[in-house]
Amino acid sequence: MRGLSKLLVVCFGLLLAGCATDPNGANDPYEQTNRSVFDFDQKLDKYVISPSASAYVAVVPTPARTSIHNFLLNLDLPVTFVNDVLQGEVDRAGDTLGRLAINSTLGIGGLFDPATDFNIPYHKEDFGQTLGTWGVGEGPYLVLPFLGPDPPRDAAGQVVDIFFDPTTYVSIRSHIWYSAGRRYMSVVDLKSRNFDTLQNIERGSVDYYASVRSLYRQLRNNEIRNGRPDVQNLPDL
Amino acid sequence: MELRSAVARLLAALAFLCIVGLTGAQAATPAESFIQENAQKGLTILKDASLSRDAKHAQFQSFLESLIDIHRIALFTLGPAAKSAPPADVDAFAEAFRSYAAAVYQEQFAHYSGETLKVTGSVERAPGDFVVRTAVLEPNGSLSANAPEVDFRVSNTGGTLQVIDASVMGIGLSLQQRDQFTAFLARHNNDVKALTADLLVRAGNIRNGGSPSGN
């Protein structure tokens, strides 16, 4: 039953991805609602995430934080591997498999990152990116509570990625707490590593919401292209 | 992807061109030579110990204005309003944008810590419209694993080469600015004067050592 509900979410997401655009060219037909949710997420960041990240930096020494960061990245690698394969990126799939094998063994369960020393670079893939490589548009821009920017294609991708994650199939009595804890730690880790940059973007933005929307889209498109330049589709200046 | 490295470099991208030196890569095309030579010129100004701080800023700003087609960028960032707004408002906006951009670039001086750029290639995407690819090197000359790639868009207009955009890890500076400005205008009844006033306040705040928004 849980699988069926997830499948419905995916179908709904893909359906949304194929419709609803707005005449302003920003493809943000629900902007008013999105801005309200964005404000909520901002408050969540101000009163929960930022204090957590500050405390995390203050209490946990840098080497330990680095290991936690490595561990979280390592947990994502199986999902990245499946999506590398689905995208036909054989070399990158090999890199991912190599990182997973090396860091899970020599790196003691992913706490350390010897793979980088072996010149195996890290990259991340998800099913939202895979859909993008298959030509699925992102759909109307959406901001979700707790999750931030998450248009239908990427939201649907996150649901599918749950099925690609081996930990989904490990029977843990408190699986919901594991998932929530992992997600929370990932956000705190991200925040703690990007304090200054995020603050600078906010302070320097004429319209912070629009700035984040633009950054999100451009970063996602770059990720879908795996960093390959897209010189032919640059805007006409 | 590290948002930190992507966005931090984005905000400084155009300034990078001028405040970092280029390594001794062999420039193969006029656009690549243009980037390489001008980066060296910018670095020479910044390293000139005989100049006072104010003189250095003035010289550097003059150099920037000859290097970057700020007016063209300003019109692009204004979006459709560049054609629909009264010409006087557009001109005032372009001047405010110039002031704002200069303040942002000069603020970046403080963040320069010896990085260099390496030209890695270029593409002519249309006649007279080039994209020059560079990689940011550490102060010791090494290329770190997560080094961002910075692309400079160079336009040849009437035989004169000028920079019209920069992007870091696929994030275009001009497009990012335009997305903000058009959103601002949409929420302010397409009042270009309001946007102009906002930019002037931000430029003043930066020059006074505060954050752009004054917070």
Side-chain angles (χ1 to χ4, degrees):
Chain A
M1 190 64 194
R2 195 178 64 170
L4 178 63
S5 63
K6 286 174 181 170
L7 189 64
L8 286 174
V9 170
V10 173
C11 293
F12 179 66
L14 291 176
L15 191 66
L16 267 178
C19 60
T21 57
D22 76 336
N24 294 326
N27 196 12
D28 191 357
Y30 314 114
E31 182 170 341
Q32 289 298 82
T33 306
N34 282 340
R35 283 186 182 269
S36 298
V37 177
F38 185 75
D39 288 343
F40 168 78
D41 286 343
Q42 286 287 97
K43 288 186 173 64
L44 189 72
D45 177 72
K46 181 178 179 182
Y47 294 112
V48 179
I49 303 300
S50 287
S52 299
S54 296
Y56 178 62
V57 171
V59 172
V60 182
T62 302
R65 276 186 276 127
T66 301
S67 282
I68 290 169
H69 176 71
N70 291 337
F71 181 74
L72 290 168
L73 295 189
N74 203 54
L75 284 178
D76 290 335
L77 289 180
V79 170
T80 295
F81 173 73
V82 174
N83 284 292
D84 280 334
V85 172
L86 289 174
Q87 293 172 31
E89 295 279 359
V90 178
D91 290 346
R92 287 164 68 89
D95 283 349
T96 304
L97 202 56
R99 280 190 72 88
L100 183 62
I102 291 170
N103 286 355
S104 299
T105 52
L106 294 177
I108 313 175
L111 292 173
F112 300 96
D113 182 20
T116 295
D117 297 330
F118 287 106
N119 289 322
I120 304 176
Y122 171 79
H123 70 274
K124 188 177 188 307
E125 295 288 346
D126 56 62
F127 195 67
Q129 292 180 53
T130 298
L131 289 172
T133 63
W134 292 350
V136 177
E138 71 168 15
Y141 185 71
L142 289 180
V143 183
L144 301 183
F146 303 101
L147 299 175
D150 213 3
R153 180 194 62 204
D154 297 340
Q158 285 180 3
V159 176
V160 172
D161 284 334
I162 293 172
F163 293 100
F164 296 161
D165 188 340
T167 62
T168 300
Y169 305 100
V170 176
S171 179
I172 303 175
R173 286 182 64 183
S174 303
H175 196 96
I176 183 69
W177 291 108
Y178 161 77
S179 299
R182 178 175 164 188
R183 178 91 194 180
Y184 180 74
M185 271 315 301
S186 295
V187 171
V188 169
D189 174 60
L190 180 72
K191 182 76 182 180
S192 69
R193 298 169 70 86
N194 295 284
F195 258 129
D196 292 343
T197 301
L198 294 170
Q199 198 171 48
N200 285 339
I201 295 170
E202 183 173 0
R203 285 181 176 172
S205 293
V206 171
D207 184 320
Y208 187 40
Y209 169 86
S211 181
V212 170
R213 183 177 63 193
S214 182
L215 287 170
Y216 177 81
R217 281 179 167 155
Q218 293 195 65
L219 276 171
R220 283 297 282 175
N221 288 335
N222 189 58
E223 286 175 343
I224 288 167
R225 297 193 307 271
N226 290 338
R228 298 180 189 108
D230 184 23
V231 295
Q232 293 310 322
N233 288 319
L234 293 174
D236 291 324
L237 270 83
Chain B
M1 176 186 296
E2 288 273 349
L3 186 64
R4 173 173 56 92
S5 44
V7 179
R9 302 294 195 210
L10 168 73
L11 295 175
L14 277 174
F16 258 154
L17 171 63
C18 310
I19 64 176
V20 305
L22 282 167
T23 60
Q26 294 300 310
T29 70
E32 291 175 21
S33 299
F34 171 75
I35 293 294
Q36 181 166 338
E37 289 165 10
N38 280 292
Q40 192 56 49
K41 279 185 194 169
L43 192 63
T44 302
I45 295 172
L46 290 174
K47 285 184 171 175
D48 189 345
S50 69
L51 294 173
S52 68
R53 181 180 166 82
D54 287 347
K56 192 176 286 188
H57 279 196
Q59 201 172 110
F60 191 73
Q61 183 165 339
S62 172
F63 163 72
L64 271 181
E65 291 187 3
S66 69
L67 176 69
I68 302 170
D69 192 344
I70 293 180
H71 188 77
R72 186 167 167 183
I73 296 171
L75 294 185
F76 173 75
T77 60
L78 199 50
K83 290 181 179 170
S84 61
D89 290 356
V90 174
D91 289 344
F93 165 79
E95 198 51 43
F97 184 82
R98 181 187 304 277
S99 175
Y100 174 68
V104 170
Y105 299 153
Q106 293 195 358
E107 189 196 27
Q108 297 300 325
F109 284 179
H111 303 298
Y112 177 57
S113 54
E115 294 95 339
T116 55
L117 285 180
K118 178 181 180 183
V119 171
T120 58
S122 65
V123 175
E124 185 172 13
R125 62 178 294 275
D129 188 352
F130 306 90
V131 176
V132 179
R133 303 216 88 190
T134 66
V136 179
L137 305 182
E138 299 293 330
N140 64 9
S142 66
L143 184 66
S144 70
N146 295 319
E149 289 180 325
V150 182
D151 292 349
F152 294 101
R153 197 163 162 195
V154 177
S155 174
N156 184 344
T157 307
T160 302
L161 292 174
Q162 281 194 300
V163 173
I164 57 171
D165 200 5
S167 69
V168 180
M169 297 170 76
I171 303 172
L173 186 64
S174 296
L175 186 58
Q176 209 261 348
Q177 291 280 17
R178 189 181 69 170
D179 288 344
Q180 287 188 69
F181 292 172
T182 53
F184 180 98
L185 290 171
R187 291 166 62 80
H188 292 79
N189 202 27
N190 285 319
D191 185 354
V192 174
K193 286 179 180 171
L195 178 58
T196 301
D198 189 272
L199 286 184
L200 288 173
V201 167
R202 287 170 183 277
N205 288 339
I206 294 171
R207 288 204 174 88
N208 292 330
S211 76
S213 59
N215 294 327

